[in-house]
Amino acid sequence: MMDEVEKSDLSEVAGKPANACERVQGESVERREGAKGNTSKHGTRWTLSQESVLPGLDRVRERAKSERKGRFTALLHHIDVDRLRSAFSRLKREAAPGVDGRTWKQYQQNLDGNLADLHLRIHRGAYRALPSRRTYIPKGDGQRPLGIAALEDKIVQLAVVEVLNAVYEEDFLGFSYGFRPGRSQHDALDALAFGITRMRVNCILDCDVRAFFDSVSHDWLVRFLEHRIGDPRVIRLIRAWLKAGVMEDGSWAATESGTPQGSVASPLLANVYLHYSFDLWADRWRHREARGKVIYVRYADDITAGFEYEEDARRFSAELRERLSRFALTLHPEKTRLIEFGRFAADNRARRGLGKPETFDFLGFKHICGRSRAGHFQLRRKSRRDRMRVKLKALKMELARRRHDPIPVQGRWLAQVVRGYFAYHAVPTNYPSLSAFLYHVKRLWLHALRRRSQRSRMLWERFGRIAADFLPKPRILHPWPQARFSVMHPRWKPSA
């Protein structure tokens, strides 16, 4: 039976349990006798995501939490072979190689020897970062530059980021969501939706930092890191990544500022930079300078702020520009705007003879002031049309390349694409966008099938049966924002 005494049970149990909650100092309890065997060893634990959590970082987290202004002067010893191996196992197997041309499978062939040599070079100071390989991906109305690091640089960066996360996850503020463990884009969307619907928000400041990843000052970034990181060897590693430069069309170019998008360390470094340049200042501003309620949600360099009073919003916008200019950052003049938005925006504008409230975009969704069937305010979110067009355009090109694949092969691939799109966009109030996306996917697939032959007579009725066999139907997959936010923050109490 499950409750029978096993051989591994301890011979002594506590005589009296503490009768206070875990946050209150309760009565002392008799200590249990240590278990025999290997349970006293600091073994590897496993998280719900099946990622190993290597030992040694718990003490770092505890010290970071208890000593808010303390500096960590010895962190490099946490970068051992086991941590490097864990980092290697989490890399994508089919990722594009960097300038060294080494792939994941090639490195794995002599993994133990490669990791032992890499570990030795790191601790001897002989490790040298290689330049990132510059590539471009489509982004809305243009292209976004990405930096693909060499394989060993990815391994070292991932291991260092894991160690630094143990420090900075105790420092980062609650409204910071970008690329943090346990915080997704939908957590940021839920927090914003919850704040707009439950707090006294009457206007929204939609901020866009111009070319953030290209504008980060290396000097300021290192100064920010040195607030908490006193190990010069770790700082030297980060400086090496920042100064490694980029390779494009066979020529090397130095990087005097910025961090390459796409590298493993860039998200953490960006969060550290914005934590000191924006988060701490903004949090202090809303408690000391604002007259009304203020909410913030930041995902990397995407910042959205909600205000009760327009006067607060205008003062904050002016002071924010001055604040960011001190750290080599600027707000985009066209993409940064202040709009009337919130529970009472539609009624207030109607009384003044104005039209519907403006909308704003955040993390791929257009946010709209709408109404429920009962006539109450409802924040409506729908997929951005420009992003959908870019996705469909890429899908059309890929379908042309796969045109002569067997129909079941095409269908299974398209089903994965559609499910992936639904996994992110299937939020409440967005059902029409999901249906529109599926409809356009079907039309593109039918067009591709008809192009397989000049004699093709594929009709919509026959194709509809084929599509129904493979493509999933649109349905809402995510809960309402307040439901998930209440679970994530059970002690949060909205203001009146």
Side-chain angles (χ1 to χ4, degrees):
M1 296 175 61
M2 292 293 293
D3 53 356
E4 289 182 357
V5 177
E6 301 287 348
K7 293 182 179 180
S8 60
D9 285 350
L10 304 180
S11 57
E12 295 182 9
V13 297
K16 178 176 68 175
N19 57 5
C21 67
E22 59 183 69
R23 288 182 174 267
V24 181
Q25 185 68 28
E27 299 179 48
S28 61
V29 183
E30 290 183 50
R31 296 184 61 85
R32 295 169 66 100
E33 180 186 20
K36 296 180 180 180
N38 58 5
T39 56
S40 62
K41 297 180 181 179
H42 299 285
T44 300
R45 301 188 309 277
W46 292 86
T47 64
L48 293 177
S49 62
Q50 296 301 311
E51 291 184 2
S52 62
V53 181
L54 297 178
L57 294 184
D58 286 340
R59 293 188 299 273
V60 176
R61 294 188 187 93
E62 291 172 1
R63 186 188 167 194
K65 187 175 182 178
S66 61
E67 301 179 21
R68 293 294 184 179
K69 296 184 179 180
R71 299 178 75 227
F72 292 82
T73 58
L75 287 175
L76 194 67
H77 67 277
H78 291 290
I79 310 300
D80 53 18
V81 175
D82 288 338
R83 197 171 302 281
L84 293 174
R85 181 178 287 104
S86 174
F88 172 78
S89 66
R90 296 203 300 275
L91 294 178
K92 294 182 179 179
R93 272 66 166 166
E94 305 300 330
V99 295
D100 60 345
R102 301 180 77 177
T103 64
W104 191 92
K105 292 181 179 179
Q106 291 173 348
Y107 202 83
Q108 188 191 31
Q109 292 176 1
N110 185 26
L111 182 60
D112 292 338
N114 289 332
L115 293 180
D117 176 66
L118 177 60
H119 175 262
L120 184 61
R121 282 185 281 129
I122 292 172
H123 288 267
R124 278 192 323 179
Y127 163 78
R128 296 293 181 267
L130 295 177
S132 299
R133 183 169 64 85
R134 176 65 57 84
T135 186
Y136 296 89
I137 61 172
K139 178 192 175 183
D141 54 353
Q143 291 184 319
R144 169 181 293 175
L146 291 182
I148 302 178
L151 183 68
E152 285 195 337
D153 291 337
K154 292 179 184 179
I155 297 172
V156 181
Q157 288 183 27
L158 191 56
V160 171
V161 164
E162 184 180 10
V163 174
L164 295 185
N165 272 335
V167 177
Y168 285 107
E169 278 302 305
E170 302 298 333
D171 292 354
F172 291 153
L173 301 187
F175 57 79
S176 168
Y177 286 88
F179 308 109
R180 292 179 55 188
R183 288 180 169 232
S184 68
Q185 291 171 295
H186 280 285
D187 292 326
L189 288 165
D190 290 347
L192 178 61
F194 192 87
I196 291 174
T197 55
R198 296 296 182 90
M199 300 285 287
R200 296 195 291 269
V201 172
N202 296 313
C203 53
I204 290 289
L205 180 63
D206 185 17
C207 302
D208 183 89
V209 181
R210 172 184 281 174
F212 169 74
F213 284 93
D214 296 329
S215 305
V216 169
S217 167
H218 293 175
D219 293 336
W220 273 114
L221 177 57
V222 171
R223 289 177 63 179
F224 292 151
L225 289 166
E226 288 176 341
H227 280 302
R228 290 293 255 165
I229 310 303
D231 191 333
R233 301 167 299 175
V234 175
I235 298 296
R236 192 182 306 119
L237 283 175
I238 296 174
R239 282 186 183 274
W241 299 328
L242 296 175
K243 299 296 183 181
V246 296
M247 291 288 293
E248 186 173 3
D249 296 330
S251 60
W252 177 84
T255 50
E256 300 299 331
S257 63
T259 61
Q261 295 190 62
S263 72
V264 177
S266 285
L268 174 64
L269 299 180
N271 276 332
V272 171
Y273 199 91
L274 287 168
H275 173 73
Y276 287 100
S277 62
F278 173 78
D279 294 358
L280 295 178
W281 171 82
D283 191 54
R284 185 169 59 251
W285 192 94
R286 70 175 170 183
H287 288 103
R288 297 183 181 180
E289 305 292 335
R291 286 198 312 118
K293 294 294 182 181
V294 181
I295 65 168
Y296 305 119
V297 176
R298 179 178 69 78
Y299 193 92
D301 58 328
D302 292 333
I303 303 170
T304 301
F307 298 86
E308 181 178 1
Y309 299 118
E310 183 179 349
E311 176 190 354
D312 284 344
R314 296 193 180 279
R315 284 194 299 114
F316 178 83
S317 178
E319 295 180 28
L320 175 60
R321 295 177 189 274
E322 181 181 352
R323 170 73 179 181
L324 294 181
S325 66
R326 295 176 53 190
F327 304 103
L329 302 177
T330 57
L331 292 178
H332 198 292
E334 298 178 359
K335 296 182 180 179
T336 299
R337 60 200 183 100
L338 177 64
I339 63 172
E340 188 174 6
F341 197 95
R343 288 179 291 172
F344 311 108
D347 294 337
N348 292 339
R349 291 176 64 86
R351 282 195 294 268
R352 300 198 303 270
L354 302 176
K356 295 180 179 180
E358 295 182 68
T359 63
F360 69 94
D361 298 329
F362 185 66
L363 296 182
F365 290 96
K366 184 179 291 295
H367 291 65
I368 307 167
C369 287
R371 292 197 178 277
S372 65
R373 293 180 180 178
H376 304 303
F377 170 80
Q378 183 181 67
L379 178 66
R380 305 187 70 84
R381 299 176 295 179
K382 59 182 295 186
S383 301
R384 289 176 54 176
R385 290 185 180 179
D386 56 341
R387 298 283 181 87
M388 186 186 296
R389 283 195 295 267
V390 171
K391 181 70 173 179
L392 291 171
K393 183 178 179 180
L395 189 62
K396 180 179 180 180
M397 297 175 62
E398 184 63 19
L399 275 171
R401 192 181 69 84
R402 296 171 176 258
R403 180 178 300 158
H404 296 287
D405 290 351
I407 289 179
V409 175
Q410 293 184 27
R412 286 191 292 269
W413 170 74
L414 272 177
Q416 291 180 345
V417 173
V418 174
R419 279 195 292 268
Y421 188 88
F422 287 175
Y424 183 80
H425 291 269
V427 300
T429 73
N430 196 37
Y431 186 87
S433 295
L434 303 180
S435 299
F437 178 79
L438 182 61
Y439 171 75
H440 289 297
V441 169
K442 289 179 179 179
R443 289 198 53 143
L444 292 176
W445 192 14
L446 176 60
H447 177 75
L449 292 178
R450 285 174 173 173
R451 296 281 292 177
R452 285 155 65 105
S453 170
Q454 294 181 352
R455 297 182 178 182
S456 174
R457 295 294 183 267
M458 178 75 71
L459 299 179
W460 181 263
E461 290 75 13
R462 179 189 169 195
F463 169 76
R465 294 191 294 270
I466 296 175
D469 289 338
F470 293 100
L471 301 183
K473 295 181 179 180
R475 64 188 183 93
I476 301 302
L477 302 175
H478 294 275
W480 289 92
Q482 57 268 27
R484 185 158 47 193
F485 186 86
S486 299
V487 171
M488 297 290 293
H489 307 275
R491 298 186 179 184
W492 192 89
K493 299 294 183 182
S495 301

